[in-house]
């Protein structure tokens, strides 16, 4: 478990190769498409490197352009669009093979006090009431793909019971935390949360339409991803990820999430749109 957490920390620690130019190491997994959470998290890490500790990310918006290759590093070019007294903005282009695979814009804010309110955490049993992810999937006849298991090795994930497919807004929740403590500053904790926030969110948009996210013939891909950080997330402790999907149509779906700490504090909000279509088997009429 500690090794998996150390490997995740190393994966998200982008290497500076020139001024405002960074390289993200490839994930230690077999050939395939890069996990979207990895690209967004590495891009945020690259943006944060040029800002400094006095400002922390409060929001990011990213668009996935092309599928990344897991066997190759990713180069991140950072543009310093704005540095003000309170806020700083960065744009990051993630590149592979000379082509952009993701665009990200992130805003950073100097800590200030002000008006405060937050939606309460939804009622949900604690993580000790649920099995870990692989066992939960096995209970409903599904298997976690090996590549996904490798991507999530540093995280302990305990999903709630499958949401019903009856009328109403599709929703689900899960608890997650790092499997071992990570020495991380505020910036890295936001990067880790970004990595984790891409898991399961878009699956919420599919819940009423198919019993299995990994079903053959189902083509799913993230189109964009947005995160708003309300405070520094305690990623070493349990976090509740409550998700719903108010809309799907035109081969796209929209999902949103709220992440709370164990004390019930809202630490982040997330939104994502993705592609979801059924593809006919090759050779089918």
């Amino acid at each position: 478990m500690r090794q998996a957490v150390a490997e995740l920390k190393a994966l998200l620690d982008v290497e500076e190769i020139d001024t405002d130019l960074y390289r993200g190491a490839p994930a230690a997994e077999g050939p395939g498409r890069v996990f979207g959470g990895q690209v967004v998290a590495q891009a945020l890490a690259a943006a944060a490197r040029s800002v400094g500790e006095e400002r922390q990310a409060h929001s990011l918006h990213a668009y996935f352009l092309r599928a990344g290759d897991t066997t190759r590093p990713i180069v991140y070019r950072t543009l310093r669009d704005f540095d003000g007294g309170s806020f700083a903005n960065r744009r990051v282009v993630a590149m592979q093979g000379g082509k952009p695979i993701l665009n990200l814009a992130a805003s950073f804010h100097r800590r200030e006090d002000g008006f405060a309110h937050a939606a309460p955490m939804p009622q949900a049993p604690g993580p000790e009431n649920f099995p870990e992810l692989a066992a939960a999937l096995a209970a409903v006849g599904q298997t976690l793909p090996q590549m996904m298991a490798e991507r999530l090795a540093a995280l302990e994930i305990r999903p709630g019971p499958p949401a019903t497919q009856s009328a109403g807004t599709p929703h689900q929740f899960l608890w997650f935390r790092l499997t071992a403590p990570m020495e991380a500053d505020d910036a890295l904790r936001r990067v880790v949360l970004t990595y984790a926030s891409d898991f399961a969110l878009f699956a919420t948009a599919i819940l009423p339409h198919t019993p299995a996210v990994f079903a053959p013939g189902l083509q799913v891909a993230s189109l964009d991803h947005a995160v708003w950080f309300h405070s520094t997330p305690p990623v070493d402790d349990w976090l509740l990820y409550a998700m719903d999907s108010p809309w799907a149509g035109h081969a796209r779906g929209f999902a949103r999430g709220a992440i709370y700490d164990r004390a019930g504090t809202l630490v982040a909000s997330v939104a994502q749109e993705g592609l979801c279509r059924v593809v006919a088997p090759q050779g089918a009429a």
Side-chain angles (χ1 to χ4, degrees):
M1 292 181 181
R2 292 184 180 277
Q3 180 178 350
V5 170
E7 289 175 354
L8 177 62
K9 184 178 182 180
L11 178 68
L12 301 180
D13 185 18
V14 293
E15 174 193 4
E16 184 174 8
I17 55 178
D18 205 338
T19 302
D20 294 336
L21 196 64
Y22 302 90
R23 178 166 51 213
E29 58 187 51
R33 295 176 56 174
V34 175
F35 175 48
Q38 173 191 328
V39 189
V40 181
Q42 288 181 333
L44 177 61
R49 292 282 286 271
S50 66
V51 175
E53 296 181 359
E54 69 279 2
R55 298 184 184 94
Q56 293 296 330
H58 73 88
S59 68
L60 67 84
H61 300 262
Y63 281 93
F64 298 98
L65 306 177
R66 295 176 174 86
D69 181 352
T70 57
T71 65
R72 303 175 61 185
I74 303 171
V75 173
Y76 297 90
R77 182 177 296 278
T78 300
L79 301 176
R80 306 188 186 206
D81 285 343
F82 176 73
D83 284 293
S86 298
F87 291 88
N89 291 78
R90 297 291 185 266
R91 276 183 296 151
V92 180
V93 181
M95 309 278 292
Q96 265 192 343
K99 295 181 179 180
I101 64 172
L102 175 130
N103 288 335
L104 176 139
S107 182
F108 300 78
H109 186 201
R110 174 177 57 82
R111 179 173 176 80
E112 293 186 51
D113 294 323
F115 299 119
H117 72 270
M121 183 170 71
Q123 294 292 326
E128 60 277 358
N129 293 282
F130 304 108
E132 55 89 26
L133 178 61
L137 288 174
V140 294
Q142 297 185 43
T143 302
L144 184 67
Q146 180 61 33
M147 183 172 290
M148 186 60 68
E150 293 174 357
R151 292 169 177 174
L152 302 175
L155 297 170
E156 183 178 0
I157 298 174
R158 294 179 176 265
T164 61
Q165 297 183 27
S166 58
T169 302
H171 62 278
Q172 63 176 340
F173 71 88
L174 59 81
W175 291 92
F176 72 94
R177 67 178 177 182
L178 289 172
T179 57
M182 175 188 288
E183 292 186 9
D185 58 15
D186 289 354
L188 181 54
R189 291 180 187 278
R190 284 167 166 77
V191 170
V192 171
L193 185 77
T194 300
Y195 181 91
S197 70
D198 190 41
F199 174 71
L201 178 58
F202 185 65
T204 316
I206 306 171
L207 283 175
H209 310 290
T210 177
V213 175
F214 306 114
L218 184 64
Q219 183 182 10
V220 176
S222 300
L223 298 174
D224 61 8
H225 194 75
V227 183
W228 293 264
F229 303 96
H230 309 311
S231 62
T232 300
V235 291
D236 291 337
D237 198 2
W238 287 110
L239 295 167
L240 177 70
Y241 199 175
M243 299 163 273
D244 70 356
S245 175
W247 177 86
H250 312 296
R252 302 193 315 277
F254 174 72
R256 56 196 177 187
I259 301 177
Y260 297 83
D261 66 17
R262 192 73 186 266
T265 302
L266 180 64
V267 298
S269 299
V270 190
Q272 186 174 76
E273 189 177 41
L275 170 73
C276 50
R277 63 160 68 109
V278 178
V279 180
Q282 288 187 338

